[in-house]
Amino acid sequence: MKTIADIAKLAGVAKSTVSRYLNGGSVSEKMKQKIETIIEETGYTPNTFAQSLKAKKTNMIGTIVPRLDSYETSQTLTGIDNELREWNCHMLVSNTNQNVDREIETIYTFAKQKVAGIILLATQVTDTHLQAFSEINVPVLLVGQQHEDVYSLVHNDEEAGYAIGKYIIEQGHRRLAFLGVSEENIAIGLKRKEGFKRAIREAGGCEVHYFETGFTMSEATAGALAVFDGFFPSALICATDDIAIGAVKAAYKKGMHVPANISVTGFGGYDITAMMNPALTTVKLHFIEAGKTAARNIIQLANGQEIPKLTYSGFEIIARESVDKRFVPG
Amino acid sequence: MKTIADIAKLAGVAKSTVSRYLNGGSVSEKMKQKIETIIEETGYTPNTFAQSLKAKKTNMIGTIVPRLDSYETSQTLTGIDNELREWNCHMLVSNTNQNVDREIETIYTFAKQKVAGIILLATQVTDTHLQAFSEINVPVLLVGQQHEDVYSLVHNDEEAGYAIGKYIIEQGHRRLAFLGVSEENIAIGLKRKEGFKRAIREAGGCEVHYFETGFTMSEATAGALAVFDGFFPSALICATDDIAIGAVKAAYKKGMHVPANISVTGFGGYDITAMMNPALTTVKLHFIEAGKTAARNIIQLANGQEIPKLTYSGFEIIARESVDKRFVPG
DNA sequence: CTGAAAGCGCTTACAG
DNA sequence: CTGAAAGCGCTTACAG
């Protein structure tokens, strides 16, 4: 392995000159050429540790995820990794298994590892989080949740909730059930529901019941079974695709057909939703794009550049087979 | 941020003594206690770069994956990350988007970053791979594929293929189609099929047609449509769950019911297969466990300990609703 | 524009 | 068991 000293000797200059060349300092045109050639020939690449030891910073971005085995995480990571590569940065990934303590712990660990920045696929932002952010000297970007004191990138959950609400009403449904998650999760539990409610208020004349369940498909199956217990909506709006998948399963268990007996919508746009029978109508969130944007944003922050405190990522309604059109009298 | 010099001064000893304490060298009991206390009080943690600069090695394991958005990858990464944490190691992840050039490139990049080891979720092992492995001075572990010259961890694909073949025959099916992938992929394309064929040979009296498709669900839908074009098997054995999902979709498109008109099996044991209608009979591979084992193995290699060249990970048949029992005359 | 020197925080022979 | 010193490979004022 060549070092900067080897290159300097070959070029007949001091190490500092090579270093300056590497870092864009002032070097004569002639010398630049010479050093460039030698570096190419030798295939020299600087030792990142030695660099980091001085610069006290690496080219690694720490990414903290609540779980690895979800479509959202996978897609977002794909986007992040892809974009990071363009910037010659690496992605350090840590899975917290939805454990908040572990999340906090990882924030400090990453800081110790001197990552250039931290991307946190957040589920909630507690005071402990805020304290950690302020203690470490590393820029942090929240993805999926927002907080006024932290740089955030979110899917426009309120608008998306509104859009799916409006859509289902346009299809003639008036007797609705909303199967969501705990409001502790601001983006998914609260915002999506709020947007949906706004659409309901605007339309008027709807009967809506609200239910809460967990994030896993099997929890959702149980949750949906409870929905069908006594109340018979013509459409069931679910706060995530996994929940919708669980709900469809529950409907079948009850002997109900989707969408003949009940329409179901999801939220997310997971690939699998296209393959279901019937194919699921859902709100597609642009996770890969969001991941790329997140990567760009954190790199800008790491370089000391300013970015907006809050960035929105887009969405679109994907109308498929799981929603029936209903005739609305009058 | 405290340095080793600060601790040394506080303890009234030389830096080398503190270093020895940290690395388990010989230090008097009394001194140990004192240093320990001081380290606790100050919250000192060694600078990893400075350590790496000398040791020329980090506590990071580089993990290379062909794609991030697959159940197999997600689960395996979950296992790896989980186990790595136990050993105070970190997971550096790079996604190659199924691009072999990028795979090779990443191997060198990781080596340059001085990762302690590389886990490669492999799809194929070319000569270029082998050359890269020999050029870098970092232990490598293949997961999912095997090669005699490289440490490998594989699901026992041949046995698993045999098991599902045997199972389907036991259910009375004799007219079969196998929907696999290119044999370039040794584990999934070749081994699974070979195991299946062994079961067929053993049983005798079966008519089997073999088909090939891609890895994505939509490719599989197209592939399965081709299967149904003229040939009507009573059971369709798919080489992955994604393929099975695509095949079920194709069956519905053709107006066929699963399993009444055709039985379908998958391979992998993805969570989603339990939620399908009908729930998919499949071979469950223990990805999380495999990930953990992979992490343990690479750490052992990184520490210079010997491990078996080849490790097998387990599997089990999950019998669900997508396979019908057929009566076999005679 | 260029070089000599100090220093980043640690580890590791080598003496004692 | 303990310490002084050199060195890992780079960067960065400071002179020139």
Side-chain angles (χ1 to χ4, degrees):
Chain A
M1 218 69 226
K2 297 283 177 195
T3 72
I4 198 171
D6 298 325
I7 306 302
K9 197 178 296 170
L10 286 170
V13 294
K15 292 186 297 177
S16 23
T17 305
V18 179
S19 176
R20 249 177 262 117
Y21 165 83
L22 255 17
N23 297 289
S26 49
V27 179
S28 72
E29 196 51 43
K30 197 195 255 168
M31 209 66 252
K32 272 189 194 165
Q33 308 266 300
K34 189 160 183 185
I35 296 177
E36 185 174 357
T37 315
I38 294 177
I39 287 184
E40 289 225 333
E41 282 171 359
T42 56
Y44 165 75
T45 51
N47 178 312
T48 27
F49 305 128
Q51 290 181 313
S52 304
L53 186 56
K54 290 293 292 187
K56 297 183 179 294
K57 184 175 123 177
T58 63
N59 63 344
M60 291 185 302
I61 298 294
T63 310
I64 305 176
V65 302
R67 44 187 295 203
L68 242 11
D69 58 344
S70 85
Y71 183 82
E72 168 159 4
T73 301
S74 305
Q75 296 288 306
T76 310
L77 287 183
T78 301
I80 293 173
D81 179 75
N82 236 302
E83 186 68 25
L84 249 30
R85 182 183 312 267
E86 303 288 315
W87 298 83
N88 266 308
C89 284
H90 292 276
M91 182 173 77
L92 209 50
V93 178
S94 186
N95 170 31
T96 66
N97 270 326
Q98 329 228 44
N99 179 332
V100 177
D101 291 344
R102 204 144 133 178
E103 206 164 292
I104 303 295
E105 191 188 310
T106 309
I107 292 169
Y108 287 109
T109 314
F110 275 168
K112 217 185 74 186
Q113 290 262 116
K114 302 277 189 302
V115 296
I118 294 178
I119 295 176
L120 175 59
L121 302 208
T123 52
Q124 43 176 313
V125 184
T126 66
D127 286 345
T128 324
H129 283 87
L130 296 175
Q131 197 192 329
F133 298 159
S134 70
E135 277 183 26
I136 65 175
N137 199 18
V138 173
V140 174
L141 176 71
L142 254 34
V143 173
Q145 302 283 343
Q146 92 182 75
H147 189 285
E148 48 184 5
D149 298 338
V150 193
Y151 290 98
S152 313
L153 169 70
V154 293
H155 306 284
N156 202 334
D157 293 285
E158 206 275 345
E159 279 293 339
Y162 174 77
I164 192 70
K166 195 167 169 191
Y167 174 79
I168 205 79
I169 289 167
E170 281 169 4
Q171 300 307 303
H173 295 273
R174 293 294 180 273
R175 200 174 159 78
L176 311 172
F178 184 95
L179 186 52
V181 299
S182 159
E183 293 191 359
E184 270 183 24
N185 189 314
I186 307 291
I188 305 179
L190 189 61
K191 297 275 184 185
R192 291 185 187 176
K193 186 162 63 180
E194 279 181 351
F196 174 74
K197 281 184 175 169
R198 179 156 64 90
I200 299 297
R201 274 199 309 277
E202 261 187 39
C206 292
E207 179 184 357
V208 190
H209 289 212
Y210 293 87
F211 300 86
E212 198 176 300
T213 184
F215 277 97
T216 68
M217 296 185 281
S218 47
E219 283 171 317
T221 300
L225 247 17
V227 173
F228 302 146
D229 196 24
F231 177 57
F232 295 99
S234 76
L236 176 61
I237 285 74
C238 302
T240 75
D241 280 345
D242 274 358
I243 292 176
I245 291 169
V248 169
K249 184 83 183 174
Y252 278 95
K253 281 194 177 176
K254 279 277 191 182
M256 295 158 73
H257 277 268
V258 179
N261 305 121
I262 185 165
S263 295
V264 177
T265 68
F267 220 116
Y270 306 172
D271 282 353
I272 189 73
T273 58
M275 306 306 286
M276 292 167 64
N277 298 292
L280 190 71
T281 291
T282 186
V283 184
K284 188 175 174 62
L285 268 20
H286 301 154
F287 295 118
I288 294 194
E289 204 41 51
K292 287 189 184 176
T293 307
R296 266 193 306 273
N297 282 359
I298 196 70
I299 285 173
Q300 295 207 262
L301 287 174
N303 291 336
Q305 295 162 38
E306 205 38 58
I307 63 166
K309 208 78 185 180
L310 178 62
T311 310
Y312 280 114
S313 179
F315 68 88
E316 63 190 300
I317 301 281
I318 309 272
R320 290 198 281 234
E321 306 160 1
S322 66
V323 174
D324 243 10
K325 207 165 172 71
R326 293 290 167 105
F327 174 69
V328 185
Chain B
M1 218 70 226
K2 298 281 174 196
T3 72
I4 198 171
D6 298 325
I7 306 302
K9 197 177 298 169
L10 286 170
V13 295
K15 294 186 296 177
S16 23
T17 305
V18 179
S19 177
R20 249 177 261 117
Y21 165 83
L22 256 15
N23 297 289
S26 50
V27 179
S28 73
E29 196 51 45
K30 197 196 256 171
M31 208 66 253
K32 272 189 192 164
Q33 308 265 298
K34 190 161 183 183
I35 297 177
E36 184 175 355
T37 315
I38 293 177
I39 288 184
E40 288 225 334
E41 282 171 358
T42 56
Y44 165 75
T45 51
N47 179 313
T48 27
F49 305 128
Q51 290 181 314
S52 304
L53 186 55
K54 289 294 294 189
K56 296 184 181 296
K57 185 174 121 175
T58 63
N59 63 345
M60 290 185 303
I61 298 294
T63 309
I64 305 177
V65 302
R67 43 187 296 206
L68 242 9
D69 57 344
S70 85
Y71 183 82
E72 167 160 4
T73 301
S74 304
Q75 297 288 306
T76 310
L77 286 183
T78 300
I80 293 174
D81 178 75
N82 238 301
E83 186 69 25
L84 249 30
R85 181 182 313 266
E86 303 289 313
W87 298 83
N88 266 310
C89 284
H90 292 274
M91 181 173 77
L92 209 50
V93 177
S94 186
N95 170 30
T96 65
N97 269 325
Q98 330 228 42
N99 179 331
V100 177
D101 291 345
R102 205 145 132 176
E103 206 164 292
I104 304 294
E105 190 189 311
T106 308
I107 293 170
Y108 287 110
T109 313
F110 275 167
K112 218 185 74 186
Q113 290 261 115
K114 302 276 189 303
V115 296
I118 294 178
I119 295 177
L120 175 58
L121 302 208
T123 52
Q124 43 176 313
V125 184
T126 66
D127 287 345
T128 324
H129 283 88
L130 295 175
Q131 198 192 327
F133 297 159
S134 70
E135 277 184 25
I136 66 175
N137 200 18
V138 173
V140 174
L141 175 71
L142 255 34
V143 173
Q145 303 282 343
Q146 90 182 78
H147 189 286
E148 49 184 3
D149 298 338
V150 193
Y151 291 96
S152 313
L153 170 69
V154 294
H155 306 285
N156 202 334
D157 293 286
E158 206 275 343
E159 279 294 338
Y162 173 77
I164 191 72
K166 194 166 170 194
Y167 173 80
I168 205 79
I169 288 165
E170 281 169 4
Q171 300 307 304
H173 295 273
R174 293 293 179 273
R175 198 174 160 78
L176 311 172
F178 184 94
L179 186 52
V181 299
S182 159
E183 292 191 359
E184 269 183 24
N185 189 314
I186 307 293
I188 304 180
L190 189 62
K191 297 274 183 185
R192 292 186 187 175
K193 185 161 65 182
E194 279 182 350
F196 173 74
K197 282 183 173 168
R198 179 156 65 89
I200 299 298
R201 274 198 309 277
E202 261 188 37
C206 291
E207 178 184 359
V208 190
H209 288 213
Y210 292 88
F211 300 86
E212 197 176 301
T213 184
F215 277 98
T216 68
M217 296 184 281
S218 47
E219 284 170 317
T221 299
L225 247 17
V227 172
F228 301 146
D229 197 23
F231 177 56
F232 294 99
S234 77
L236 176 61
I237 286 75
C238 302
T240 75
D241 280 344
D242 273 359
I243 293 176
I245 291 169
V248 168
K249 183 84 184 173
Y252 277 96
K253 279 194 178 177
K254 279 276 191 184
M256 296 157 72
H257 276 267
V258 179
N261 306 121
I262 185 165
S263 295
V264 177
T265 69
F267 220 117
Y270 305 173
D271 281 353
I272 189 73
T273 57
M275 305 305 287
M276 293 168 62
N277 298 291
L280 191 71
T281 290
T282 187
V283 185
K284 188 174 174 64
L285 269 20
H286 301 155
F287 295 119
I288 294 194
E289 206 39 53
K292 287 188 183 176
T293 306
R296 264 192 308 272
N297 281 358
I298 196 71
I299 285 173
Q300 294 206 265
L301 287 174
N303 291 336
Q305 295 162 38
E306 204 39 58
I307 63 166
K309 208 78 184 179
L310 178 62
T311 309
Y312 280 115
S313 179
F315 68 88
E316 62 190 300
I317 301 281
I318 310 273
R320 288 197 281 233
E321 309 159 1
S322 66
V323 173
D324 242 11
K325 208 166 172 71
R326 294 288 167 107
F327 174 69
V328 185

